[in-house]
C-alpha cells in the first residue's frame, strides 16, 4: 500500500470546496466540492464539457477559481504562484501531450527533475560542486523512472520518433520526475489500444503503491476507472452529481442518466 508520509493524518490531501468557474455565460464548474484522501486513486468522470479539465487547470493555477477554495496538503492553493506548483507537490499530464518533441526521452524527463531542483544559472554555468551533485542525482532519478516506465530502450531517441503510447509514458515520467505528492492525469488512456489501457491500469496502481503518490484521474474509459479507483466523483455540466465507490456511482440514477443521455455510453 501507500508509503505516503503520515503528516497528512486526519485530513484529506486535497480538499475542493464550493469551486465555481465561469467563462462568459458558461458555468464550467458550479459549486464543486470533493476530497481526495492521501494514498487513494480518485477518478473524476463526466460527459464531454462537464468541467473536468477546468478543475485540473484550477489545481495547476492555470485558471483562477471564480469562487470557492482549494486546499492541498493543508495549504490554500490560491495564494501560491503558479511556478511554485511543482515544488508544492502537484504534478500533471495534459489531455493533449505537452512534450519537447525534438528532445530525447531522457532530456524531457530531466526537465521534470529540474522543475523541482532549481540549480540556478550561475551555479550551473560555473559548474560549482552543488550543481554537479544535483545533476548526478537528477540523471539517476531520470534513469530509474525511464526503467519504471519501460522506456529504457528508447531513452536517447527524440520523442517525436516514438509511437503515441510511448510518448504518453514519457509525459508521465516527466510528471513523476518532479516527485509530486498528487499526480493529475487528464485522459491518459485516450488514443491507447486495449492492451495498452490494461497496462496503464497496472502502472497507475504501481505509481500509487510503489511510489506512494496519490492520483486524481480524469478518464472516459469506464473499465479503467471502475477497475482501479477507490473513489469516483461524477460531474455533469459543472455540477457534482455523485461521489462514492465505483459500485455506488455505477448504480446512481443520475449517473446512468448522464451517460445514457450523453454521446458516450459507459463501457
Ligand atoms: N478557456 C476557456 N474559455 C472558454 N470556455 C472554456 C474554456 N475552458 C473550458 N471552457 C468551457 O468550459 C466547459 C468545460 O470544459 P472542460 O474542458 O473542463 O470539459 P471536460 O470535462 O474536460 O471535457 P472533455 O471530456 O471533452 O475533455 C466547456 O463548456 C468548455 O467549452
Ligand atoms: Mg477535458
Amino acid at each position: 500500500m501507500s508509503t505516503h508520509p503520515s503528516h497528512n493524518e486526519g485530513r484529506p490531501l486535497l480538499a475542493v470546496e464550493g469551486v465555481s468557474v465561469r467563462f462568459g455565460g458558461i458555468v464550467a464548474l458550479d459549486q464543486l466540492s470533493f476530497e481526495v484522501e492521501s494514498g487513494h486513486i480518485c477518478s473524476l468522470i463526466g460527459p464531454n464539457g462537464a468541467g473536468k479539465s477546468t478543475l485540473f487547470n484550477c489545481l495547476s493555477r492555470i485558471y483562477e477559481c471564480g469562487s470557492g477554495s482549494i486546499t492541498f496538503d493543508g495549504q490554500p492553493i490560491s495564494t501560491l504562484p503558479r511556478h511554485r506548483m511543482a515544488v508544492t507537490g502537484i504534478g500533471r499530464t495534459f489531455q493533449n501531450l505537452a512534450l519537447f518533441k525534438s528532445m530525447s526521452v531522457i532530456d524531457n524527463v530531466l526537465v521534470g527533475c529540474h522543475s523541482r531542483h532549481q540549480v540556478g544559472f550561475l551555479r550551473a554555468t560555473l559548474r560549482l560542486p552543488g550543481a554537479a551533485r544535483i545533476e548526478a542525482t537528477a540523471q539517476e532519478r531520470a534513469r530509474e523512472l525511464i526503467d519504471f516506465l519501460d522506456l529504457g530502450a528508447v531513452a536517447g531517441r527524440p520523442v517525436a520518433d516514438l509511437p503515441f503510447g510511448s510518448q504518453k509514458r514519457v509525459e508521465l515520467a516527466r510528471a513523476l520526475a518532479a516527485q509530486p505528492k498528487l499526480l493529475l492525469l487528464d485522459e491518459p488512456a485516450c488514443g491507447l489500444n486495449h492492451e495498452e489501457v490494461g497496462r496503464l491500469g497496472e502502472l497507475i496502481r504501481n505509481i500509487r503503491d510503489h511510489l506512494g503518490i496519490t492520483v486524481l484521474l480524469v478518464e472516459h474509459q469506464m473499465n479503467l476507472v471502475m477497475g482501479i479507483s477507490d473513489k469516483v466523483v461524477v460531474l455533469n455540466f459543472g455540477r457534482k452529481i455523485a461521489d462514492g465507490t465505483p459500485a455506488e456511482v455505477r448504480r446512481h440514477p443520475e449517473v446512468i442518466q448522464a451517460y445514457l443521455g450523453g454521446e458516450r455510453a459507459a463501457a
Side-chain angles (χ1 to χ4, degrees):
M1 265 308 290
S2 167
T3 53
H4 196 275
S6 58
H7 64 270
N8 253 327
E9 263 170 36
R11 66 164 188 238
L13 181 62
L14 179 74
V16 174
E17 290 169 284
V19 167
S20 296
V21 176
R22 285 175 174 275
F23 297 107
I26 295 169
V27 182
L29 289 176
D30 186 4
Q31 292 287 316
L32 176 64
S33 300
F34 71 96
E35 293 179 345
V36 181
E37 301 296 327
S38 186
H40 272 192
I41 296 171
C42 176
S43 290
L44 193 59
I45 66 168
N48 295 119
K52 307 177 298 292
S53 296
T54 299
L55 179 75
F56 272 20
N57 287 333
C58 290
L59 291 171
S60 321
R61 305 269 298 119
I62 293 171
Y63 294 167
E64 290 291 336
C65 305
S67 62
S69 68
I70 301 175
T71 310
F72 173 69
D73 211 11
Q75 242 193 326
I77 279 184
S78 52
T79 58
L80 291 169
R82 193 187 305 167
H83 69 270
R84 298 278 306 163
M85 292 311 293
V87 182
T88 309
I90 298 183
R92 76 174 287 183
T93 63
F94 290 82
Q95 187 164 353
N96 302 309
L97 281 176
L99 289 164
F100 301 104
K101 293 257 172 117
S102 61
M103 276 166 48
S104 68
V105 169
I106 183 129
D107 284 344
N108 269 277
V109 180
L110 282 167
V111 169
C113 295
H114 292 139
S115 72
R116 175 117 186 157
H117 296 284
Q118 305 252 318
V119 175
F121 175 73
L122 257 187
R123 185 179 277 214
T125 312
L126 300 175
R127 299 187 183 282
L128 297 179
R133 196 182 57 244
I134 290 172
E135 186 57 34
T137 310
Q139 285 277 351
E140 196 180 323
R141 193 163 69 240
R143 287 278 167 198
E144 279 171 13
L145 282 168
I146 282 170
D147 288 343
F148 181 70
L149 290 163
D150 202 16
L151 291 164
V154 293
R157 296 259 298 277
V159 165
D161 288 0
L162 306 184
F164 185 68
S166 306
Q167 292 192 10
K168 292 200 89 154
R169 293 206 305 285
V170 176
E171 205 197 17
L172 192 49
R174 189 183 56 191
L176 291 171
Q179 297 178 300
K181 288 180 188 152
L182 176 68
L183 179 64
L184 311 175
L185 300 174
D186 198 349
E187 302 201 23
C190 181
L192 301 187
N193 64 38
H194 182 73
E195 196 187 319
E196 287 173 323
V197 172
R199 283 205 298 268
L200 176 67
E202 285 294 302
L203 184 58
I204 295 173
R205 270 215 189 93
N206 284 338
I207 287 170
R208 189 269 305 272
D209 294 345
H210 301 305
L211 304 181
I213 296 173
T214 305
V215 178
L216 181 57
L217 170 69
V218 162
E219 192 42 74
H220 285 289
Q221 280 275 345
M222 285 307 127
N223 288 338
L224 175 63
V225 166
M226 296 304 176
I228 64 171
S229 305
D230 297 291
K231 173 175 171 172
V232 180
V233 176
V234 191
L235 294 185
N236 198 18
F237 296 112
R239 202 171 55 82
K240 183 171 86 173
I241 57 173
D243 174 332
T245 63
E248 284 164 353
V249 300
R250 218 195 309 246
R251 57 174 183 260
H252 194 288
E254 251 189 285
V255 176
I256 295 167
Q257 176 61 33
Y259 274 89
L260 296 181
E263 53 188 319
R264 289 184 205 230

